[in-house]
Amino acid sequence: MDQIHFKRHRRLRKSASLRAMVRETHLHAEDLIYPLFIVEGENKRNEISSMPGAFQISLDLLKDEIEEITELGIKAVILFGVPDEKDKCGTGAYIDDGIVQKATRIVKELAPEMLVIADTCLCEYTDHGHCGVVEDGYVQNDRSLELLVKTAVSQAKAGADIIAPSNMMDGFVAAIRKGLDEAGFEEIPIMSYAVKYSSAFYGPFREAANSAPQFGDRKTYQMDPANRMEALREAQSDMEEGADMLIVKPALSYLDIIRDVRNEFNAPLVAYNVSGEYSLIKAAALNGWVDEKAIVMEMLTSIKRAGADMMITYFAKDAARWLK
């Protein structure tokens, strides 16, 4: 038979060592950001029913949590507060003794090298569950900016290393950058939730943070999942307004958007592997339908391969253990 000429791609797949040598995408513990839900009270470690393996924890239990996270090689946490009291203006978000402010001080005292990222929003603190000031059933953009600036400044004063505004108000990066600068926090970077879709994948988070809207939805300020070009417009605006890092949220159904943003902008890019994505895998794993370790590591690799530099994920501790 005449010689057939074709490419032999399998040559580079022959052994585990060879496959490792030519592997293009690598995960590291430093890529992972672990979310923490902080509640009032003492000795509370409440498992979130829709997120098996994830917990709300009280301030007094932060020590053990931070020690574990540090030991695993994770370098950053993002803090979400779950206050006992709420009001229409979300006062708990920006008072000096707010739950996130108190947690930030504790984390920085326990582990000064740990990066504390403060989620800067109002929805966990408002009695209506929306991310800003509501009048006549509508979230008021510019009035909300004033409260978001107060929140960011109070978080920076408490010791937050990074401010991560997630509210999706127009102009939120410009307003927060100005507010931080005027308060003397010019060195504090903004990790902007630049591209945040109005997604059904957020359901379990709303239980975890007790932040479900009490009426309507968030479609007037979060993005339509059908839109792609709008994501680039949002990211461009945030970069022009002073964002230092960009977030795309959710991750798995938006890998194309992660790649689009990566191709367009040189800023560090964060993908938020959200609660619904976590819960779907956890439920399947608990039923024995999937190999949890294999599917999680494949998922996180796909997110990084799409262009993310870092990932906020509830699988961070598990992934860090597996990477060890």
Side-chain angles (χ1 to χ4, degrees):
M1 185 173 124
D2 293 338
Q3 180 66 39
I4 300 173
H5 297 284
F6 52 87
K7 303 292 184 183
R8 294 190 179 272
H9 299 288
R10 291 181 59 193
R11 287 172 181 155
L12 300 182
R13 304 173 192 154
K14 190 172 181 180
S15 69
S17 296
L18 190 53
R19 291 191 298 273
M21 176 182 286
V22 300
R23 186 163 293 135
E24 300 172 20
T25 305
H26 297 270
L27 290 175
H28 307 282
E30 293 87 349
D31 302 334
L32 307 171
I33 300 167
Y34 188 58
L36 289 172
F37 297 98
I38 313 300
V39 295
E40 306 277 6
E42 295 182 355
N43 199 32
K44 290 185 178 179
R45 185 173 172 82
N46 308 322
E47 186 168 32
I48 301 159
S49 64
S50 57
M51 297 176 66
F55 297 84
Q56 299 172 332
I57 62 171
S58 53
L59 293 166
D60 58 312
L61 300 185
L62 268 175
K63 184 177 184 295
D64 291 343
E65 191 77 20
I66 294 302
E67 285 178 354
E68 179 186 17
I69 292 167
T70 301
E71 175 64 25
L72 288 169
I74 296 168
K75 305 297 185 183
V77 294
I78 184 166
L79 302 182
F80 298 93
V82 187
D84 283 343
E85 297 183 5
K86 304 187 179 196
D87 59 34
K88 65 179 182 179
C89 295
T91 305
Y94 48 82
I95 54 177
D96 288 340
D97 62 346
I99 187 69
V100 163
Q101 288 80 354
K102 289 190 286 190
T104 298
R105 295 186 189 100
I106 291 172
V107 174
K108 296 307 292 184
E109 182 178 345
L110 292 169
E113 74 286 353
M114 178 69 67
L115 289 172
V116 173
I117 304 166
D119 178 77
T120 305
C121 197
L122 301 176
C123 61
E124 296 108 304
Y125 307 92
T126 55
D127 54 16
H128 48 70
H130 281 283
C131 303
V133 177
V134 173
E135 282 186 4
D136 300 323
Y138 187 77
V139 177
Q140 303 298 309
N141 194 91
D142 295 5
R143 288 185 59 194
S144 299
L145 294 180
E146 299 173 14
L147 301 183
L148 293 166
V149 171
K150 290 176 67 174
T151 301
V153 171
S154 73
Q155 291 169 338
K157 285 180 178 177
D161 298 289
I162 299 170
I163 297 300
S166 59
N167 52 88
M168 288 299 283
M169 296 296 110
D170 290 336
F172 69 94
V173 173
I176 289 172
R177 183 72 273 160
K178 182 175 183 289
L180 289 172
D181 291 352
E182 289 178 349
F185 295 108
E186 299 93 341
E187 79 284 1
I188 298 295
I190 294 175
M191 179 189 284
S192 171
Y193 285 72
V195 182
K196 182 178 180 180
Y197 285 90
S198 180
S199 172
F201 285 99
Y202 302 153
F205 175 93
R206 291 172 181 172
E207 178 197 350
N210 191 20
S211 62
Q214 298 304 299
F215 63 88
D217 52 42
R218 295 176 176 148
K219 293 180 180 179
T220 65
Y221 44 102
Q222 294 178 357
M223 284 179 49
D224 185 337
N227 292 356
R228 178 184 176 193
M229 299 307 296
E230 183 183 8
L232 298 180
R233 296 197 300 272
E234 288 276 5
Q236 180 68 46
S237 295
D238 286 6
M239 290 299 299
E240 292 172 353
E241 292 173 16
D244 300 281
M245 293 174 268
L246 301 172
I247 297 176
V248 174
K249 179 182 180 182
L252 287 185
S253 288
Y254 301 87
L255 294 175
D256 58 325
I257 306 301
I258 294 171
R259 173 46 56 186
D260 285 343
V261 174
R262 170 79 292 150
N263 289 344
E264 192 73 18
F265 304 100
N266 292 323
L269 180 58
V270 184
Y272 199 142
N273 177 213
V274 300
S275 59
E277 297 166 345
Y278 172 88
S279 296
L280 289 171
I281 291 175
K282 276 291 184 182
L286 287 170
N287 277 286
W289 298 336
V290 297
D291 179 330
E292 182 176 0
K293 175 182 175 181
I295 204 167
V296 169
M297 298 307 280
E298 181 178 341
M299 172 190 67
L300 295 177
T301 299
S302 76
I303 295 170
K304 191 169 184 185
R305 188 188 66 237
D309 300 295
M310 295 157 279
M311 288 158 282
I312 302 170
T313 176
Y314 306 97
F315 285 114
K317 291 198 292 186
D318 290 333
R321 289 189 192 97
W322 295 327
L323 287 167
K324 278 181 175 289

